[in-house]
Amino acid sequence: MQNSKFWKLRQTWIKIKRKLGKMSADPLQPTDYTFTPGVQEFVARIAGQKIRFFQAPATQAPVVSIISSCFQEYQYIETTYRSIINQTLQNFEWIIVDDGSSHPETKALLSSLPQRTAKIRVISQTAHRGVAASYNTAIAQAKGKHLCFVNFGDILDPTYLEKCVLFLETHPQVPIVNSYSIVFQAQEHWWHSHLSQPTSLFRQNGVMSHPLYRKTDFDQLGGFDETLHGFADWERCLKVLAQHQSGWTIPEYLDCYRATDETTPAIAHNPTTDIQKTIETIHDRYQTVLKLPATIALEPQPLNLDALNARLNLENQLERFNSGKHILLFCDALDNSDVAKWNCDLILWLEQCGYDVAIVTTSASDHSCQEFFYRATPDIFHLPNLFDQAHWLAFTRYILVSRQINGLLIAGSEIAYAFLPLLRIKFPKVALIDYSHAHPATEQSDRAVNLSCQFTEDLDCQIVPSQRSAKAYKSLNATAHTKIQVCYTQAQVEATLANVIRSRQTAVLANPSVEAETEALLLILESLQHIVICS
């Protein structure tokens, strides 16, 4: 049977499905590997993202140098290429080292990549020297402030680089960061090993993720050990932790690691003697890691006016199309609540109407329904996963500029109301809109109505779902009737958004006083301190 034409065609089809991340193995072939429900679907969602952030021109001073080594992996080049060019952080360079490949299709694909974008450089080595040597060759030519090492075949969430860079920029004491990983193909599982748990990392015999390093810290410890037989990434992570430096893992699955016998030798059926010796060498070298605390916590950053006045040291203004259709949604969580369901319906509708949407959440949550929002946009940021409260305002300012936001929509996030007075001063052409879809019947909805009415002056519009809700707003604030719009359908909400955004574009720029800005900052400080106390 295996020599039949049907079987050969079937095997070709399975290879294609595996390249796309939609199949891990042939279900008709015997295997000792285990598979985990949900992994294939999760990887397919990330791999299937349409290209929406790519900007071809290169910059003279890239923020991140992405480094890859390629040896004959022609079947995975396009998959990883799509993942890299679709990052929400577009200020990067990608240095690819051709590590002595002889396969003609590999060489042809690699030579075509710099023609697609000037961000990509290919360095060719005549002899095969291994991953560590290839990485060191590329590091010597890297211009980026940060380094990220990516294997061909692996897939990154569009926000991976941006979130890692934002974390390092706001945590100067941390030299290395990664995220949770999804391991797929030869094995399937959710990999949530944490860089803040050094003893656990020591015992796992490998690292299935793509850490991002601050280059100044990286250079102090030197590059990769070229004498080892594999495990370059794992050894380099342990080198950082052995120096009593802190690492961190963003608690989100943003990194898809393709496990094969070649890329992950520790999971091979019969590990070679060389592999076993390498593991023993690394264990002997970094025994001091076992003396570190099981978990290393980060010190919370001070919350004061100086911190609120700070700016993020990152320029990342994306090219945007669909003028007037760039929305930032501030919400509480992407969970199974009625509020989240209303928000999801709206985001899906706006995406169909041609809007670019970014989402910010402000409550700690497992965001169990994120996959439904992800269908409309991968541009999702959970602030508690990335920052101390001291940097929430700085990030809000950053993303308003980066995404060229036309309208900020508050839908369930109470802290976002406290930002309104300052945002009105600093971003006079951004429409500020309250989107309420709850009738004033519960304590939570009543509190949201009270907050909205408290900041009516700073809002351009208060969208409510019924006349009953409109009456509740008017009873709390006599001036609210000038801002209220009753919308029964998502189409009516979108039409209201479009009108409010157009009106705001003609706004006259004010010259606010220093006192007004200070008062706005004090309000934010008080609100954020209340969050800290309550948590």
Side-chain angles (χ1 to χ4, degrees):
M1 177 180 174
Q2 294 187 0
N3 293 325
S4 69
K5 184 176 181 180
F6 165 78
W7 187 263
K8 291 178 180 178
L9 288 172
R10 183 179 179 279
Q11 291 300 102
T12 301
W13 174 78
I14 287 173
K15 286 182 180 179
I16 294 172
K17 298 283 281 186
R18 291 178 69 179
K19 289 178 191 177
L20 295 174
K22 295 183 178 181
M23 180 176 288
S24 296
D26 184 351
L28 298 184
Q29 296 280 20
T31 177
D32 294 332
Y33 298 150
T34 58
F35 302 104
T36 304
V39 165
Q40 293 180 23
E41 293 80 5
F42 196 98
V43 173
R45 270 200 301 277
I46 295 179
Q49 276 291 319
K50 68 180 181 181
I51 305 298
R52 64 179 88 201
F53 303 108
F54 176 49
Q55 297 173 191
T59 59
Q60 294 298 316
V63 173
V64 178
S65 293
I66 304 167
I67 293 173
S68 299
S69 174
C70 184
F71 179 65
Q72 316 289 38
E73 297 108 331
Y74 70 93
Q75 68 270 39
Y76 301 135
I77 290 175
E78 286 293 342
T79 301
T80 301
Y81 168 79
R82 283 179 56 87
S83 164
I84 297 296
I85 67 167
N86 198 33
Q87 289 294 300
T88 55
L89 177 66
Q90 282 290 306
N91 191 0
F92 66 82
E93 65 174 354
W94 188 9
I95 305 174
I96 302 170
V97 178
D98 180 0
D99 190 22
S101 298
S102 58
H103 195 286
E105 191 168 348
T106 299
K107 300 187 77 65
L109 280 171
L110 289 179
S111 64
S112 72
L113 296 183
Q115 300 172 26
R116 306 182 195 182
T117 170
K119 295 178 179 180
I120 299 178
R121 286 186 285 154
V122 177
I123 301 171
S124 296
Q125 297 182 159
T126 55
H128 178 56
R129 298 177 56 202
V131 171
S134 298
Y135 284 173
N136 289 336
T137 297
I139 292 166
Q141 300 190 31
K143 301 176 183 177
K145 186 177 178 181
H146 305 281
L147 302 174
C148 185
F149 303 90
V150 179
N151 304 322
F152 275 104
D154 297 343
I155 303 165
L156 301 180
D157 181 272
T159 62
Y160 182 78
L161 289 182
E162 186 175 19
K163 287 175 178 174
C164 288
V165 169
L166 286 169
F167 185 89
L168 291 187
E169 290 294 339
T170 53
H171 297 81
Q173 77 278 25
V174 179
I176 177 175
V177 64
N178 66 354
S179 75
Y180 291 164
S181 298
I182 308 97
V183 181
F184 70 106
Q185 193 162 305
Q187 283 192 347
E188 291 184 355
H189 54 268
W190 306 94
W191 189 269
H192 51 267
S193 181
H194 208 293
L195 289 176
S196 68
Q197 299 170 339
T199 55
S200 174
L201 181 67
F202 178 89
R203 293 189 175 99
Q204 70 187 24
N205 295 346
V207 56
M208 296 183 180
S209 67
H210 303 92
L212 186 125
Y213 297 84
R214 186 180 292 105
K215 191 172 187 297
T216 53
D217 296 317
F218 187 95
D219 290 341
Q220 288 179 1
L221 294 181
F224 292 87
D225 187 343
E226 299 179 20
T227 66
L228 295 176
H229 187 85
F231 299 99
D233 293 322
W234 180 45
E235 190 274 339
R236 192 56 182 70
C237 287
L238 290 175
K239 183 187 287 189
V240 173
L241 301 180
Q243 297 299 314
H244 299 274
Q245 297 180 358
S246 300
W248 195 255
T249 297
I250 298 169
E252 300 175 23
Y253 291 97
L254 305 173
D255 184 355
C256 303
Y257 184 95
R258 189 186 300 267
T260 67
D261 288 352
E262 292 76 25
T263 62
T264 318
I267 68 169
H269 289 296
N270 298 300
T272 65
T273 302
D274 286 341
I275 290 173
Q276 292 173 341
K277 285 183 177 179
T278 300
I279 293 173
E280 291 171 2
T281 299
I282 294 173
H283 280 169
D284 291 342
R285 183 179 297 176
Y286 297 112
Q287 283 292 313
T288 56
V289 171
L290 293 176
K291 299 178 183 179
L292 296 173
T295 300
I296 300 174
L298 297 180
E299 289 293 326
Q301 301 184 24
L303 180 57
N304 51 43
L305 285 179
D306 289 338
L308 292 180
N309 263 319
R311 302 292 189 276
L312 296 183
N313 185 26
L314 178 62
E315 296 291 332
N316 182 38
Q317 186 161 322
L318 298 177
E319 289 182 1
R320 310 300 272 176
F321 306 98
N322 300 328
S323 178
K325 289 191 169 185
H326 310 142
I327 297 293
L328 175 62
L329 173 69
F330 250 99
C331 58
D332 190 51
L334 310 184
D335 53 19
N336 198 36
S337 66
D338 290 338
V339 171
K341 292 174 183 177
W342 275 86
N343 288 339
C344 187
D345 288 342
L346 176 62
I347 294 307
L348 291 169
W349 177 260
L350 291 177
E351 195 267 342
Q352 292 180 30
C353 295
Y355 285 78
D356 295 316
V357 182
I359 300 174
V360 171
T361 71
T362 54
S363 289
S365 168
D366 63 359
H367 304 288
S368 57
C369 292
Q370 175 166 319
E371 66 176 278
F372 302 105
F373 290 83
Y374 200 87
R375 295 173 184 175
T377 177
D379 209 10
I380 301 172
F381 294 83
H382 306 304
L383 297 192
N385 291 349
L386 298 171
F387 311 106
D388 289 326
Q389 285 89 350
H391 293 108
W392 286 16
L393 177 61
F395 172 78
T396 303
R397 289 172 162 177
Y398 160 82
I399 199 167
L400 286 169
V401 174
S402 173
R403 276 35 174 201
Q404 302 181 45
I405 296 298
N406 307 118
L408 186 152
L409 202 61
I410 299 176
S413 171
E414 295 184 7
I415 188 60
Y417 290 107
F419 290 179
L420 288 175
L422 187 70
L423 296 181
R424 173 51 68 228
I425 293 171
K426 294 297 186 181
F427 297 91
K429 289 191 176 295
V430 174
L432 305 178
I433 303 153
D434 181 43
Y435 176 53
S436 173
H437 25 62
H439 298 288
T442 66
E443 180 181 350
Q444 183 177 5
S445 60
D446 285 343
R447 188 165 62 246
V449 172
N450 285 325
L451 280 169
S452 181
C453 290
Q454 181 182 343
F455 294 98
T456 294
E457 180 182 353
D458 302 298
L459 290 164
D460 291 289
C461 181
Q462 293 164 298
I463 299 176
V464 297
S466 67
Q467 292 296 338
R468 177 187 169 196
S469 296
K471 188 177 295 185
Y473 275 73
K474 293 173 186 176
S475 68
L476 291 170
N477 189 324
T479 62
H481 71 277
T482 62
K483 305 285 183 75
I484 291 176
Q485 288 288 331
V486 179
C487 296
Y488 299 104
T489 66
Q490 305 295 3
Q492 290 176 329
V493 173
E494 188 278 325
T496 300
L497 287 177
N499 289 333
V500 174
I501 288 172
R502 273 195 300 270
S503 298
R504 182 44 67 175
Q505 297 305 304
T506 60
V508 177
L509 299 181
N511 188 20
S513 65
V514 175
E515 291 78 9
E517 290 191 28
T518 302
E519 185 178 342
L521 283 169
L522 286 171
L523 172 65
I524 296 171
L525 179 61
E526 180 183 352
S527 300
L528 289 172
Q529 287 174 336
H530 178 70
I531 290 177
V532 174
I533 292 171
C534 291
S535 60

